[in-house]
Each structure stands twice: as structure tokens, then as C-alpha cells.
Amino acid sequence: MKKRFRTVIGFLAAAMAVAAGLSACGGSAKPHIATTSGGKVPEKRSAFTFRLAETHPPDYPTTLGDKKFAELVSQKSNGRIKIDVFPNSQLGEEKQVLEQVQLGAIEFSRVSSGPLAEFNKAFGVFSLPYIFDNAQHEWNFLSSADGNKLLEGLSASMMLGLAYYDSGARHFYSSKPLRSPEDLKGQKIRVQQNKVNIALITALGASATPLSYGDVLGALKAGTVEAAENNWPSYDTSKHFQAAPNLILDGHQRVPEVLLISKVTWEKLSPEDKKVIKQAAAESVDYQREQWTSFEKKSEQRMRSAGVAVTEVKDLKPWQDAVKPIIDSYREDYKDVLDAIDKARN
Ligand code: BDP
């Protein structure tokens, strides 16, 4: 009897400790609880263990940025905050991950602004074609107060943007030859899941198929889509080039990556931990951008030597003319941010 009573008390105490730990660090964090055997908690134990969802493989530049961020958070918090990076979409495709982030079930993620736009409309601006002249122009904007305002605005969508990561420029590729915008006409083209992309593809006279990134290779192989578009590193690591070996360097979009935290998690952190996370995110950006630059070059080389048919675009005018109606139709919706982007031009 007595023993049973003790077991019940023990169980209740453990349950209370779990509850206390959970409320201290967010619903899905895994708090470490002091064991009753021996009583001592090893000093270096983390108070919080969080998960960060990433689509790409472990050696991809965004994943390397995530890992650098996690390492800096650990250092700056003296090991109190541990962030485990889950690459290769282990925690789901970006859209599903974002839903989990909104609930606080996944605490951190690195996603593309493309799918993010369906959760926070402001991010749709990055799917508009040719709004940036080059990487310098893009980064002038992303590092400005206006760029930061977009990250902060994610708070209305139950998330907080911590930093932008580099993602270069996106180009079309197809199972069919591509030499001009006309060649895209009538093709079924996979796009990132948002409305601006559908309008863009329609303006090019093609038909848009929004799909999760992880479904694209299968769709290209099965022929349910004939074309897609992405940057060199994604084209390379996703193996889309195997099914769509014709690429045209039209650079229609520059769609930045975003590192973010769930608002549910954020609100449970102390001001000191919030500072650690913000600083670590900001400090991981230069590293991610360096990794991006070298990986992008290597991917391009790999793709060219794999025999991809690459068409250079000397004159962007026909491309820009073809998609101009899109910019015009969204100019009102994105007026302030488009003005800010224009101002950031070198
Ligand atoms: C890549 C982004 C990745 C997106 C993917 C896509 O890094 O986050 O999931 O594009 O096209 O460039 O969906």
C-alpha cells in the first residue's frame, strides 16, 4: 500500500515537473528534467531543445547556415539552448512545416519566401519577376529597415522572421529545348505554391502547376509537368536536371530564404534568450552567403559537365516585356515595398 502511494506521488511529481518544463519553454520543446536517482543535473545540460526544419540536404548552403545559427545559439547561451537541425524535409514539406510552426509544434524553420507568401501576403512581392537588378540590389533591400519590416511583419502570421539567407536567381528548365520565352508557351510548369507564381506563368502563356518541392522530380519524370524553375544549387541537388536537362538563364526571380521562429516559442523566451537568438541569426548570415557563393559556382560547373543544355540570355527585354503585366497588376498591392525596392537600387 505504502509503496503504491509513493509511486503515485512520484508519478505526480514527475508530471508536474514535465508541465513546469513545458510551460517554461514552449509546448513542443523537450525540457531536461532532473532525475531523482542521484539528484545531480550535469552542468552542461541544455534547458531547451528545439527543432529546426530544413528542406535541403545536409551540405546545402541553407542547411549550413542553419547549423551555424544553431552553433552560435549554443555558444551564446552556454549550451542552455540546443537547436537540432532536421534536413531533407524530415519534418515535412515547407507548407506543412509552416502550419506546424504557427502552432508551435515545430519551433524553427528555414523556408523559401515562395511558400511563405501564402501565410503572409507581403512575401509574395519576392515572386514578382525582375524586381531586383542583381544580388547587390537584392541585398541592399534585404539588409535595409524596409527588409527587416517584412521579417517583423511575420508576427501577424504567428511567426517571427530572424534573418534572410541567399538563394540566388531562379531560371526555367524543361524536358524540351528552351531558347526564348516563346518556348515556354503551352508547357506545364511547376511553380512554388503561391498566387503570384500562377499569374506569372499564365502571363508567359504556360500552365502553372503548384507543387511541393519534394514532389517535383517525380512529376517531371512522370511527365505530369514538363518544366520547373529554380536556382543552380536546387537544380543540381534535387536532380531535376535528370528529367529536365534544358536550362535557360533568364533569372526571372530572386526569392530570398527566411530563417524563422514560431511566435508561440518566441513569446515563452526570456528577453535575454530572445537577444541570443536574434544575434546568432544575424551573425549566421555572412557565413551562409559565403557558402552560397561557392556552392552556386560548383553546382553550375557540375550541371554543365553533366551535359545540361544551357542557354544564355543576352537580352532580357523580351522576358521583361512578357511579364510586365504581372508587375502592373500587383503594383498597387505591393506599392510601399516595391517603392522601397526601387530605392535600394545601386
Ligand atoms: C529552393 C528553396 C526551397 C524551396 C524550393 C522550391 O531553397 O526552400 O522549397 O526552392 O522551389 O530554391 O520550392
Side-chain angles (χ1 to χ4, degrees), residues 32-297:
H32 293 287
I33 296 155
T35 55
T36 42
S37 57
K40 267 198 188 161
V41 182
E43 252 174 50
K44 271 287 175 186
R45 272 197 157 180
S46 320
F48 301 133
T49 302
F50 295 129
R51 297 187 301 170
L52 189 159
E54 168 62 66
T55 295
H56 291 298
D59 62 339
Y60 194 93
T62 51
T63 320
L64 297 176
D66 305 336
K67 288 187 192 156
K68 172 59 87 186
F69 165 62
E71 183 189 310
L72 289 167
V73 168
S74 171
Q75 265 169 29
K76 289 177 190 291
S77 67
N78 296 319
R80 271 186 322 101
I81 308 176
K82 185 166 183 281
I83 299 175
D84 291 329
V85 176
F86 289 83
N88 283 329
S89 298
Q90 285 175 64
L91 302 182
E93 293 291 334
E94 290 180 29
K95 194 169 165 220
Q96 283 76 46
V97 164
L98 285 167
E99 284 162 5
Q100 299 294 306
V101 166
Q102 286 186 312
L103 298 172
I106 295 175
E107 294 91 359
F108 291 87
S109 186
R110 190 293 309 162
V111 295
S112 163
S113 298
L116 189 54
E118 288 299 279
F119 292 77
N120 187 288
K121 196 174 160 232
F123 281 78
V125 74
F126 296 120
S127 292
L128 288 173
Y130 303 111
I131 54 170
F132 297 115
D133 294 349
N134 49 37
Q136 180 68 52
H137 180 197
E138 178 188 3
W139 280 93
N140 286 350
F141 171 76
L142 297 180
S143 349
S144 71
D146 293 300
N148 201 46
K149 217 157 86 188
L150 289 187
L151 292 179
E152 284 172 0
L154 279 171
S155 161
S157 313
M158 291 305 289
M159 314 164 199
L160 237 99
L162 296 170
Y164 291 107
Y165 281 169
D166 211 338
S167 183
R170 295 174 77 100
H171 315 288
F172 286 105
Y173 46 82
S174 174
S175 55
K176 299 181 174 162
L178 291 181
R179 276 163 309 236
S180 71
E182 275 67 50
D183 290 336
L184 289 171
K185 289 208 165 113
Q187 293 206 31
K188 288 193 279 298
I189 307 179
R190 177 271 170 171
V191 288
Q192 289 189 300
Q193 295 149 296
N194 75 44
K195 293 187 189 67
V196 178
N197 279 317
I198 298 175
L200 166 64
I201 297 301
T202 311
L204 288 166
S207 112
T209 306
L211 284 179
S212 291
Y213 186 53
D215 293 332
V216 184
L217 182 59
L220 283 169
K221 283 191 171 161
T224 46
V225 298
E226 296 148 302
E229 45 79 61
N230 222 311
N231 49 44
W232 280 116
S234 287
Y235 183 54
D236 167 16
T237 57
S238 65
K239 307 226 181 327
H240 292 175
F241 71 95
Q242 292 176 351
N246 303 287
L247 180 134
I248 186 154
L249 284 168
D250 63 281
H252 53 277
Q253 290 169 334
R254 306 189 73 91
V255 183
E257 315 282 16
V258 179
L259 180 66
L260 48 84
I261 179 171
S262 164
K263 195 172 172 187
V264 177
T265 312
W266 182 253
E267 284 178 348
K268 288 180 175 159
L269 292 173
S270 67
E272 178 201 337
D273 287 347
K274 285 181 179 166
K275 211 164 129 195
V276 160
I277 284 175
K278 277 208 156 174
Q279 276 180 358
E283 284 175 30
S284 68
V285 174
D286 281 353
Y287 175 81
Q288 192 277 337
R289 292 189 63 195
E290 280 161 25
Q291 297 301 319
W292 177 263
T293 308
S294 66
F295 200 95
E296 192 182 38
K297 281 195 199 103

